[in-house]
Amino acid sequence: MLRDGYVGSALGKAMLVLEKVIDRPDPVSIGALGIWLGLPKQTVHRLVHQLVDEGLLCKSIKGEGYMVAPRLMRLSRRILERAVDEAPIRAILADLVENIGETCNIGILDKHEVLYLERVECAWQLRMQLQPGSRMPLHCTGIGKMLLASLEARARKRLVVNLPLTRYTEKTIIDQDILLGELKRIRHQNFALNNQENTTGMLGLAVPVRDQDDRVVAGLALHAPVARLSKDAALEKVETLHGAARRIGEALITENEG
């Protein structure tokens, strides 16, 4: 909350409003923002509507508060994409691939899909071909399930309810309640397994990449054919993936601070 008698620029106050809305899993009312930030309601009303006019905030579908708008989502995605491009992420991925011998990639949540930002292929000829910029469904990929699990419970349920739970294989989870249960387990165990849920014969294992505030900003995953890497063998690599994810998170923080 702001100090009594706080005086700051309009831009500074607008940034505080944006940060508070971003941090909340549900739409936020003007009254609640005023209480949390210690600002007069009329000031918050003006700031919120200016942010709406700029396409950074929007009213919720039910009209019961304000939430992040598509323009702000695009800006945050582009910031992370640039950080991945400029930080030594590919070198970290290359070291990881050399260590475990399988393809690894990084992806982020973009609306209802996983957007892959970087990828390093293994030397094996048999592998899944995906390029940076590729998109995959959330409900049947390791990174997708990891990113869904990282959301607050209400936001997670809201997104799952609106996902097209398309069946890709006989192992794809297409029941909302079963998927929500799976995501709860993933959040607790801090990794996600995709055991042929998207492509028959392919396995994926993902862990979270966190920022300096311990928020999940991306997912790091390995991919391999089940003929070469069993589920049990993949699970033995969880700690190795976590170690690489920490290095990636530190690299992203350094890049953003620079």
Side-chain angles (χ1 to χ4, degrees), residues 10-212:
L11 178 58
K13 292 174 183 176
M15 289 300 297
L16 290 171
V17 170
L18 279 178
E19 289 174 352
K20 184 58 69 174
V21 174
I22 290 170
D23 287 342
R24 304 299 299 180
D26 295 317
V28 182
S29 70
I30 288 174
L33 284 168
I35 293 172
W36 290 330
L37 298 176
L39 293 172
K41 187 173 181 179
Q42 59 269 30
T43 299
V44 177
H45 185 276
R46 182 180 69 254
L47 292 169
V48 167
H49 282 274
Q50 288 173 345
L51 293 168
V52 169
D53 289 342
E54 293 299 325
L56 301 176
L57 294 181
C58 63
K59 200 136 190 180
S60 69
I61 296 175
K62 296 181 179 180
E64 298 174 351
Y66 293 85
M67 55 192 294
V68 172
R71 184 184 181 191
L72 185 55
M73 292 181 183
R74 289 194 298 272
L75 287 172
S76 64
R77 186 191 72 207
R78 286 163 61 187
I79 290 169
L80 190 53
E81 287 174 341
R82 181 167 180 176
V84 168
D85 286 342
E86 296 182 357
I89 305 301
R90 189 168 182 84
I92 297 172
L93 280 181
D95 286 345
L96 179 61
V97 171
E98 183 176 359
N99 184 1
I100 65 177
E102 299 295 348
T103 296
C104 295
N105 56 35
I106 296 174
I108 61 172
L109 180 66
D110 189 25
K111 297 181 180 179
H112 289 176
E113 297 175 306
V114 176
L115 172 64
Y116 289 110
L117 299 184
E118 186 58 277
R119 182 178 180 90
V120 172
E121 300 282 355
C122 65
W124 298 100
Q125 290 185 348
L126 179 58
R127 60 185 186 236
M128 180 179 286
Q129 299 287 345
L130 282 174
Q131 300 301 318
S134 300
R135 295 176 180 272
M136 295 291 283
L138 290 170
H139 69 292
C140 57
T141 54
I143 288 181
K145 292 194 295 181
M146 186 72 254
L147 295 174
L148 281 172
S150 72
L151 300 174
E152 294 291 338
R154 286 173 294 187
R156 188 190 319 149
K157 183 175 182 179
R158 186 168 59 243
L159 185 49
V160 166
V161 166
N162 290 286
L163 281 178
L165 300 182
T166 304
R167 182 183 293 280
Y168 292 91
T169 75
E170 63 179 15
K171 294 192 175 184
T172 305
I173 300 174
I174 59 173
D175 181 277
Q176 291 178 0
D177 291 333
I178 294 176
L179 179 58
L180 287 169
E182 168 83 346
L183 297 177
K184 187 175 181 179
R185 286 190 294 274
I186 288 170
R187 187 180 179 94
H188 176 73
Q189 66 192 20
N190 207 29
F191 67 84
L193 185 70
N194 160 24
N195 189 7
Q196 306 183 70
E197 295 166 40
N198 178 260
T199 304
T200 299
M202 296 298 297
L203 178 146
L205 178 69
V207 299
V209 175
R210 301 178 183 273
D211 65 10
Q212 65 266 42

Side-chain angles (χ1 to χ4, degrees), residues 219-234:
L220 168 66
L222 67 80
H223 296 277
V226 294
R228 191 167 66 231
L229 187 70
S230 69
K231 174 183 172 181
D232 289 342

